[in-house]
Amino acid sequence: MALKLPIFMDSPSTTPVDPRVLETMLPYFTEKFGHPSSRNHPFGWEAEKAVDQAREQIAKLIGARDPKEIVFTSGGTESINLALKGIAEMYREKGNHIVTTAIEQRAGLDVSKRLERQGCMVTSVPVGQDGLVDVDEIRKAITDKTILISVMFANNEIGTIQPIAEIGKLAKEKGIVFHTDATQAVGKIPVDVEAMGIDLLSCTAHLIYGPKGIGALYVRRKSPRVRIAPIIDGGGHERGMRSGTVPVPLAVGFGKAAEICTEVMSEERTRLKALRDKLQDRILSSLDEVFLNGHPEKRLPHILNVSFAYVEGESVLMGVNKEGAISSGSACTSSTLEPSYVIAALGVDSELAHSSIRFGLHRLNTEEEVDYIGTRIVEVVKRLRDMSPLYELAKEGVDIKSINWKAE
């Protein structure tokens, strides 16, 4: 079978809809078109039943005990907004302090900034060189006004997986609500809201081979019961937490995608990790001055992020952009020319941060595709370095940083 180009390796931005998901969705666009809140006729009953089944499938994937804890939203961004803003408003009489990390995705960071402008205090805890947050640093950041801890389950750029269960235990010990943005983790690695002490969890369908346009927020109902103020008012849908008609076909697709992930996650995780490691070994064994970003072991099985010294990341992307879809950062920030704030938070200097490239494997990638992309990346980087006077000087043993580039 001939290799089909371009090859998609940007799965942290989105994933293709699984054909089984699409097949399950299709009847709900035409034959089964009822409104799930129309409870006085069979069309509505049928739609409501389908939405309830989707809640059950998603709840099972994340270890939630009650499907009613699943609140449908338009996607991960809205789920994060609802969690942070909803807690800030509902618990404002108790306090106004939020603890988060420096490498949350833009939705989390930007919501925190807005809440600061509205009077909240936000402490952004730094991470180590491997992208891991120190639980003791979170503990130190807590005050008597802290109402929420919000930490990303796994980072979308470097894949580092945070010590979520430890943070959940700390939150329970302090009586603080704990939210995690698990948009990258759900369906890829085991997530258990009960075992990990998670009170609020944001996730989305399009990162687990489901449709775009629908996400969910898990909201704990017991031990403790978590309450959030809505950010969208209207007909009181989703038990008053998120008004608006639930898009039944999308919910059905989300549920089916979650069901498939529950069934294949273990096997898929092993396969993708093997492909990722093969790609990593191909690059690191063929090139010098290549640096792995993130934790070498505590990371998602499908994400590889490396920096190539003495080349620009954008130049590498341009060298392969007709053959492969890879990224120099998250989909939320790729429109800017600034180096990744995530890579910079690891203590990486600006030059290396500018040279970082993220590879994101997915369910449909093959070994042949990994071999092709690995070979092309090595070729492109070697060609760019052949044109780089900096690389030539470095190979001659010159300390680049000691050079005075200004004429006297």
Side-chain angles (χ1 to χ4, degrees), residues 169-190:
K169 183 179 179 181
L170 171 62
K172 290 294 171 293
E173 174 191 321
K174 299 291 186 179
I176 299 169
V177 176
F178 176 37
H179 165 257
T180 185
D181 165 13
T183 49
Q184 295 293 334
V186 165
K188 313 296 174 54
I189 57 176

Side-chain angles (χ1 to χ4, degrees), residues 126-366:
V127 296
Q129 293 181 340
D130 53 10
L132 279 176
V133 66
D134 187 336
V135 179
D136 285 337
E137 291 302 311
I138 294 178
R139 182 185 295 274
K140 293 175 186 176
I142 293 172
T143 74
D144 59 355
K145 296 294 184 182
T146 304
I147 56 173
L148 178 67
I149 297 172
S150 182
V151 176
M152 202 176 196
F153 200 115
N155 187 264
N156 51 320
E157 292 192 37
I158 57 178
T160 296
I161 301 169
Q162 300 297 348
I164 295 298
E166 293 178 52
I167 300 170
K169 183 179 179 181
L170 171 62
K172 290 294 171 293
E173 174 191 321
K174 299 291 186 179
I176 299 169
V177 176
F178 176 37
H179 165 257
T180 185
D181 165 13
T183 49
Q184 295 293 334
V186 165
K188 313 296 174 54
I189 57 176
V191 174
D192 190 323
V193 293
E194 289 296 330
M196 296 176 172
I198 298 166
D199 298 314
L200 296 164
L201 178 144
S202 301
C203 57
T204 192
H206 77 99
L207 293 179
I208 60 168
Y209 312 97
K212 296 176 181 65
I214 189 164
L217 178 66
Y218 159 78
V219 183
R220 179 179 290 278
R221 285 169 64 95
K222 293 175 64 177
S223 304
R225 179 180 179 85
V226 176
R227 301 172 64 210
I228 56 172
I231 58 175
I232 296 177
D233 297 311
H237 309 83
E238 297 300 276
R239 294 174 304 286
M241 286 181 272
R242 201 280 186 180
S243 290
T245 301
V246 174
V248 179
L250 302 185
V252 167
F254 195 174
K256 183 63 176 179
E259 180 182 73
I260 294 170
C261 284
T262 300
E263 295 170 354
V264 307
M265 182 169 57
S266 178
E267 177 185 345
E268 194 165 80
R269 188 167 75 246
T270 300
R271 189 183 79 86
L272 290 178
K273 181 180 182 300
L275 289 179
R276 182 204 66 194
D277 290 348
K278 182 173 187 179
L279 178 61
Q280 178 177 316
D281 292 344
R282 174 75 178 94
I283 293 172
L284 268 61
S285 65
S286 303
L287 297 167
D288 59 1
E289 301 287 347
V290 180
F291 304 91
L292 177 67
N293 294 313
H295 199 284
E297 296 173 359
K298 296 176 182 177
R299 54 177 165 147
L300 293 170
H302 62 292
I303 291 182
L304 171 65
N305 191 306
V306 291
S307 289
F308 300 93
Y310 309 108
V311 299
E312 282 283 336
E314 292 297 325
S315 298
V316 177
L317 294 183
M318 290 174 64
V320 298
N321 63 4
K322 292 183 179 179
E323 302 158 281
I326 55 179
S327 172
S328 60
S330 75
C332 302
T333 59
S334 58
S335 61
T336 73
L337 294 177
E338 292 296 316
S340 162
Y341 67 87
V342 172
I343 305 301
L346 308 182
V348 175
D349 65 35
S350 178
E351 288 79 9
L352 271 181
H354 269 295
S355 73
S356 65
I357 296 292
R358 181 189 68 185
F359 304 85
L361 300 169
H362 63 93
R363 182 174 290 167
L364 303 181
N365 282 136
T366 65

